[in-house]
Amino acid sequence: MDIKPEWTTPNTTTPNATTPNTTTTPRTFLLPRASAPLPAALWLPPGNAVRPPRPPLVLLGHGGSGHKTSARIQDLARWFTTHAGCAALAIDGPHHGERVPAPLPPAVYQARIAEEGIEAVLDRMTDDWLAAIDAVSDAGRADGGRVAYLGLSMGARFGIPLAAALGDRLRCAVLGKFGVRLGPALHPGLDAPERVTADARRITAPVLFHIQWDDELFPRAGQLALFDALGSQDKELIAYTGPHDETRPTAIATWRDFISRHLGT
């Protein structure tokens, strides 16, 4: 693909074929897209330069009201680059981050997604992710054929169709805090159980699926149904008591270890 990212990270050297990355500071960039530029962020292992072998690539999908460089995304990216030797890539979700002038309340961004049509937004986000992967791969920054995905809640909503589209480029995925049924706090226009189920069935890479047992946004039965629908023959389920927004440190360590194991790092 002929996509040339416009690198925008402040106070860092513009990346080129010979400039190594010596910190875990993200290199942000904008990709030209038909509707609007796509904001993305890339982290590279310390000392990484554009030369073989290129590091595997971990895709990090943020949750609702987050963005590509929110605290959890940064923490995960730093761990994968520093401890696992991977590159990490994140993009802003629809009506999040640099895609909007200012942060929007959940009711507002959910209504905007519903107005556009959830299936159209799922397709657009999948295309955006694929374009970002191709851009960093074509630039020699990471191995676009050895990819993992980590995203929960909204990150799972948009990660499931992406994981299906990646095919055998995807080595594993961590998903969860999401299901085929919505709780009353979510906009009904986000409901797309047939699409979610169909995409889940197309995922064949190993999957680790995380459930919050007392999740108020995505009922437990709908999350279990989504786990059942996953097409992978190698899938694991982990569950923790607590509401949707609770995440224990042990869970995060399990996500990281699962991806590292399957990427062979």
Side-chain angles (χ1 to χ4, degrees), residues 9 11 112 144 158:
T9 303
N11 302 320
R112 291 188 180 185
F158 296 114

Side-chain angles (χ1 to χ4, degrees), residues 21 25 34 44 57 69 75 82 91 93 97 104 112 117 133 177 183-184 198 237:
N21 178 42
T25 300
L44 296 172
L57 182 61
T69 54
D75 288 345
T82 302
I91 68 174
L104 300 175
R112 291 188 180 185
I133 295 166
K177 296 192 180 186
L237 181 69

Side-chain angles (χ1 to χ4, degrees), residues 8-139:
T8 59
T9 303
N11 302 320
T12 61
T13 304
T14 301
N16 55 48
T18 59
T19 302
N21 178 42
T22 57
T23 72
T24 52
T25 300
R27 298 172 182 270
T28 57
F29 62 96
L30 295 172
L31 279 182
R33 302 293 288 151
S35 56
L38 167 62
L42 176 68
W43 293 258
L44 296 172
N48 178 265
V50 184
R51 61 175 181 271
R54 294 176 296 169
L57 182 61
V58 180
L59 312 176
L60 301 173
H62 68 77
S65 299
H67 54 83
K68 65 184 180 301
T69 54
S70 57
R72 177 170 292 168
I73 298 297
Q74 296 249 32
D75 288 345
L76 288 166
R78 290 181 183 124
W79 190 91
F80 281 114
T81 55
T82 302
H83 296 282
C86 299
L89 177 66
I91 68 174
D92 282 328
H95 309 292
H96 285 71
E98 291 185 88
R99 296 190 195 248
V100 289
L104 300 175
V108 175
Y109 68 69
Q110 289 175 22
R112 291 188 180 185
I113 292 171
E115 182 178 4
E116 182 178 349
I118 182 58
E119 296 217 26
V121 178
L122 290 170
D123 291 339
R124 178 163 56 82
M125 277 293 293
T126 299
D127 289 343
D128 282 352
W129 266 118
L130 293 174
I133 295 166
D134 286 345
V136 299
S137 180
D138 292 347

